[in-house]
Amino acid sequence: MSVKYFQYTLVLFSSLLLIAGCKDDKYETPQPKGILQNDVIKRSLGPNLVGQNIEFVYAMALPADKGKLVSATVEASIAGAPTTFLEHRSFYTNSGGIDVPVTIGAPSVNNGNSTVVTFSKDTMAAALRYFYVAPEAARGKSVKFTFTAKSSNGETATYSMGPYNISKVDMKLDLKPVDGAACYISIEDLAVYTAAEAAAKANVIDLVYLYRTTPVNFNHSIIAPGTTTPAYLQGITLPAGVNRKSKILKVWALRDQQLARAQFGVFIDDIDFQKLDLADATDFAVNLKAEAGIWVETADGKYRAYVYMNSVTNGTKTATISIKRYAMQ
Amino acid sequence: MKKYISITVVMMLMAFAWVSCSKDKPVDEDGLLITNRAECFVSNFELVGSDFQTVRTKNPVIDTVACTINVEVFYGTDLKNLWPQFFLATDAKLDPKITGKVDFSDLANPKQYAVVSGNRQVRKTYKIFITVQQ
């Protein structure tokens, strides 16, 4: 085998590569289909909670010479809560960055599983927002959506979305425990109670909120009423029967977006509660700061929760807390 | 041409044989390199809580002669869920290894960790004394 043959082969290969590499893919302008078309995007992120919105944008259009839009319908596999609606306004963003609405029909009507908007404006394109408010009936189930647009020439376009799981998690935002007053927190009721109320509901009180400047570094703390270290209850006299020993694990920088309502792209979902290991957890969390949190398991193991500290105020001895709760049984 | 190819092949084979015959550097049972260093000490010590924030109120006091580490932790520290972090002399390693949270709640019986030097010949056992801020 001489070097000559190698050279010929190499030259041949190079030429072939050159030809293949230089081949120009010609761009072709997409041709409109000339029919009614539609598309959907899901706007909301994170776990889909009962009572909260799942938000979509439904876009539909057809060529102007083919007719106009007549109606838009969204059918959910599980009927949404009564507050579910499809926008009857199409939005555009003006030069100031503000979304300006253009009314295209009457407000939507919920009929069973369907939400319908009937167009009254002579328009051939619209993008409507759809807010599905997850009902109690959908908890722990999955839901699918069928979006349908109709035009005056009798055409129909449909688009399916989902299935989406509806979380079993409950959420309560902005509870305001006050030291020495409404300081008894119930995970079961997702509420804060005063001492008098707590005495009447002793079996559902899981946590006590305290604020103390002494001892040093105690500050804003959440303690289980049945703690094995009563010293952490700092001079508080518990109402009769309030003695549940919840498990508590202190966390820092777990800023769930739905609880914090801030830009952090972190969401606590069902699986986080299921996989949570609280075997070594204690029964107190001392010196909690804003943006800190605690994992909690109620004494009877019925609920697990994440309590997020939205803010703390030393002067008024108060905190703002938000809770996500998951029923274990 | 054939001659050159065969010479190249033989040379490459010799090179491979040379490389494969060179002695591996010694490693211990953990796959860590055993070196000539005899230094054996803790240079710094950290304790973090379940929220991965430090629980120390001030710098630890490390006595490399008495082999003790004294740490004061904040009032209300959950002593059952602490994660110790040792800063060791170069090439040294810790025994037992820290694989997760450690329970330091038994203050009467301080935890002990041995530091083993790079040459694995020197072994010093440190005791960790924790006091809770009052």
Side-chain angles (χ1 to χ4, degrees):
Chain A
M1 185 104 149
S2 76
V3 176
K4 223 178 193 176
Y5 291 120
F6 271 120
Q7 282 177 344
Y8 286 141
T9 318
L10 272 176
V11 168
L12 196 67
F13 264 112
S14 309
S15 313
L16 278 170
L17 274 175
L18 210 63
I19 292 163
C22 289
K23 196 180 170 186
D24 196 14
D25 289 331
K26 211 170 182 183
Y27 174 75
E28 286 174 14
T29 311
Q31 294 298 312
K33 290 179 184 168
I35 56 169
L36 175 64
Q37 292 181 76
N38 62 0
D39 201 356
V40 184
I41 57 165
K42 181 171 178 280
R43 290 191 84 198
S44 53
L45 298 172
N48 308 307
L49 304 182
V50 171
Q52 302 288 311
N53 288 328
I54 308 178
E55 187 185 347
F56 298 90
V57 176
Y58 181 39
M60 64 215 89
L62 78 165
D65 58 346
K66 301 275 181 176
K68 59 178 183 176
L69 293 167
V70 172
S71 69
T73 308
V74 189
E75 189 181 352
S77 58
I78 300 170
T83 43
T84 295
F85 72 102
L86 180 62
E87 267 286 3
H88 62 291
R89 298 172 299 172
S90 209
F91 288 83
Y92 71 91
T93 309
N94 69 9
S95 55
I98 295 163
D99 284 348
V100 181
V102 177
T103 305
I104 51 86
S108 65
V109 177
N110 290 330
N111 186 10
N113 290 20
S114 298
T115 306
V116 186
V117 161
T118 308
F119 284 68
S120 58
K121 200 99 168 175
D122 185 358
T123 182
M124 34 78 81
L128 306 180
R129 292 171 191 180
Y130 174 60
F131 298 86
Y132 176 79
V133 183
E136 190 59 45
R139 187 185 293 277
K141 296 176 184 163
S142 65
V143 60
K144 288 191 271 190
F145 300 94
T146 308
F147 293 79
T148 308
K150 281 183 185 165
S151 60
S152 59
N153 63 353
E155 275 189 285
T156 302
T158 60
Y159 204 105
S160 296
M161 293 291 277
Y164 302 102
N165 290 329
I166 306 296
S167 171
K168 282 172 72 181
V169 169
D170 281 308
M171 186 167 73
K172 186 80 176 182
L173 300 175
D174 299 335
L175 293 170
K176 293 186 188 300
V178 182
D179 179 53
C183 62
Y184 297 94
I185 303 166
S186 169
I187 297 297
E188 190 158 333
D189 290 0
L190 291 174
V192 289
Y193 294 118
T194 61
E197 291 165 333
K201 293 172 172 280
N203 59 336
V204 294
I205 303 299
D206 301 294
L207 306 165
V208 185
Y209 164 78
L210 295 101
Y211 173 77
R212 299 283 185 276
T213 49
T214 52
V216 67
N217 292 314
F218 191 84
N219 297 327
H220 300 267
S221 303
I222 293 179
I223 316 290
T227 177
T228 47
T229 319
Y232 292 136
L233 287 168
Q234 291 299 324
I236 201 167
T237 306
L238 295 170
V242 175
N243 57 9
R244 300 237 285 183
K245 188 175 177 293
S246 311
K247 288 181 178 174
I248 299 175
L249 195 65
K250 200 172 161 187
V251 187
W252 175 247
L254 175 53
R255 294 166 288 200
D256 177 273
Q257 189 167 306
Q258 289 166 317
L259 298 176
R261 282 145 288 154
Q263 73 277 25
F264 313 109
V266 176
F267 295 95
I268 296 171
D269 202 354
D270 297 32
I271 194 158
D272 296 303
F273 290 106
Q274 290 160 11
K275 301 269 178 189
L276 186 64
D277 181 9
L278 289 173
D280 300 326
T282 181
D283 48 24
F284 59 89
V286 169
N287 194 14
L288 290 164
K289 298 187 164 59
E291 299 193 0
I294 52 169
W295 290 109
V296 182
E297 185 178 287
T298 56
D300 52 9
K302 200 172 165 189
Y303 295 105
R304 281 182 176 175
Y306 180 69
V307 180
Y308 178 74
M309 307 291 286
N310 294 88
S311 65
V312 291
T313 312
N314 296 352
T316 53
K317 300 181 179 183
T318 58
T320 304
I321 61 170
S322 297
I323 304 174
K324 265 191 176 180
R325 181 192 71 176
Y326 182 81
M328 295 297 290
Q329 296 153 7
Chain B
M1 186 69 181
K2 259 186 178 172
K3 199 172 155 190
Y4 291 122
I5 290 173
S6 53
I7 288 170
T8 315
V9 168
V10 168
M11 280 179 72
M12 283 181 75
L13 276 173
M14 284 174 69
F16 279 128
W18 178 266
V19 170
S20 60
C21 286
S22 66
K23 203 181 171 194
D24 287 333
K25 292 198 168 79
V27 290
D28 65 7
E29 68 280 4
D30 295 322
L32 298 171
L33 207 59
I34 297 172
T35 64
N36 297 323
R37 291 179 194 274
E39 292 89 350
C40 183
F41 58 87
V42 174
S43 60
N44 199 1
F45 180 74
E46 178 62 284
L47 263 183
V48 295
S50 61
D51 54 358
F52 299 105
Q53 301 295 299
T54 186
V55 294
R56 288 186 295 106
T57 58
K58 54 193 173 194
N59 287 336
V61 179
I62 302 168
D63 188 332
T64 53
V65 178
C67 292
T68 57
I69 301 172
N70 284 280
V71 196
E72 187 187 67
V73 299
F74 288 120
Y75 179 83
T77 296
D78 173 14
L79 295 173
K80 285 188 175 175
N81 289 300
L82 292 179
W83 200 304
Q85 297 171 346
F86 290 83
F87 298 72
L88 305 178
T90 311
D91 297 342
K93 69 169 193 174
L94 202 65
D95 182 33
K97 290 184 268 291
I98 294 164
T99 55
K101 290 182 284 189
V102 179
D103 183 354
F104 281 92
S105 59
D106 188 1
L107 296 178
N109 296 301
K111 288 268 174 204
Q112 296 189 28
Y113 287 91
V115 181
V116 186
S117 65
N119 62 9
R120 306 292 183 261
Q121 303 298 309
V122 188
R123 187 182 176 91
K124 283 163 79 174
T125 302
Y126 279 74
K127 272 189 179 180
I128 301 164
F129 295 95
I130 292 180
T131 48
V132 180
Q133 181 190 37
Q134 293 301 323

